[in-house]
């Protein structure tokens, strides 16, 4: 396999392009009026944006990248903050039956992305509510392509 492919619908291509340029730290390889594509080597990902109408409450829970250690989480968090993306830190949190260090960002259409390192397994879904089956961090009511400094912590 060469790359994983993920395609997401978006409502505003220019806002999504601005977000994903910052998030991936790369330029798209193709941009059309209603479509854009990023072909990343690290991580190996073919990611496309499609301007199409869609229901805000779809089946997608969240997307993410697992990294090798906490230092990589912190380095990615620093790069995302410097890019002006809203970031939510969750260090030493219990989520998805694991103890993790992670950071979160949300694209302009509310898609949640996490960068995480799994430290150890857990018997519980989350630290605060052992039976909570929702997204570990629920997205805010507004899309979060917000400049750094407008930080708003979500209840996790």
């Amino acid at each position: 396999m060469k790359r994983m492919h993920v395609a997401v619908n978006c409502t505003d291509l220019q806002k999504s392009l601005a977000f994903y340029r910052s998030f991936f730290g790369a330029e798209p390889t193709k941009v059309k009026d209603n479509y854009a594509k990023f072909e990343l080597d690290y991580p190996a990902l073919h990611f496309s944006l499609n301007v199409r109408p869609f229901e805000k409450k779809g089946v997608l829970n969240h997307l993410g990248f697992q990294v090798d250690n906490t230092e990589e989480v912190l380095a990615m968090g620093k790069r995302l903050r410097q890019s002006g993306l809203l970031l939510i830190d969750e260090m030493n949190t219990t989520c998805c039956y694991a103890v993790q260090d992670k950071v979160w960002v949300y694209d302009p259409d509310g898609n949640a992305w996490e960068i995480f390192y799994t430290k150890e397994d857990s018997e519980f879904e989350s630290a605060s509510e052992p039976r909570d089956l929702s997204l570990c961090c629920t997205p805010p009511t507004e899309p979060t392509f917000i400049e750094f400094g407008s930080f708003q912590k979500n209840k996790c």
Side-chain angles (χ1 to χ4, degrees):
M1 285 188 243
K2 184 175 179 179
R3 289 185 176 102
M4 179 181 176
H5 174 60
V6 174
V8 297
N9 292 333
C10 66
T11 56
D12 185 316
L13 186 61
Q14 294 309 311
K15 283 183 181 177
S16 291
L17 277 171
F19 174 87
Y20 283 105
R21 280 180 173 117
S22 294
F23 183 66
F24 293 137
E27 288 297 314
T29 54
K30 183 184 284 187
V31 177
K32 301 292 184 182
D33 289 341
N34 64 347
Y35 174 85
K37 143 177 108 168
F38 291 82
E39 291 180 301
L40 307 174
D41 291 325
Y42 186 79
L45 177 65
H46 176 277
F47 182 82
S48 63
L49 297 162
N50 301 276
V51 179
R52 292 197 173 85
F54 61 93
E55 291 291 321
K56 288 285 188 178
K57 300 206 187 283
V59 295
L60 180 66
N61 185 288
H62 67 278
L63 303 155
F65 295 108
Q66 184 175 18
V67 296
D68 291 327
N69 53 50
T70 298
E71 290 74 25
E72 287 185 55
V73 171
L74 296 172
M76 184 69 157
K78 180 178 179 181
R79 187 183 71 71
L80 293 171
R81 277 193 180 89
Q82 289 172 342
S83 295
L85 300 182
L86 175 69
L87 193 67
I88 298 165
D89 291 297
E90 286 190 293
M91 296 296 134
N92 207 39
T93 189
T94 303
C95 178
C96 303
Y97 297 97
V99 178
Q100 302 171 332
D101 289 336
K102 61 175 75 182
V103 293
W104 292 88
V105 293
Y106 297 88
D107 77 5
D109 290 297
N111 292 307
W113 283 88
E114 70 174 326
I115 310 301
F116 69 98
Y117 168 63
T118 301
K119 298 161 85 168
E120 62 186 57
D121 285 334
S122 169
E123 294 297 316
F124 302 103
E125 170 71 13
S126 68
S128 58
E129 297 181 32
R131 298 202 193 309
D132 181 9
L133 299 178
S134 64
L135 176 65
C136 295
C137 254
T138 57
T141 55
E142 293 295 316
T144 59
F145 182 64
I146 299 172
E147 293 182 36
F148 184 65
S150 303
F151 182 75
Q152 167 189 342
K153 176 103 168 105
N154 291 326
K155 185 174 182 180
C156 298

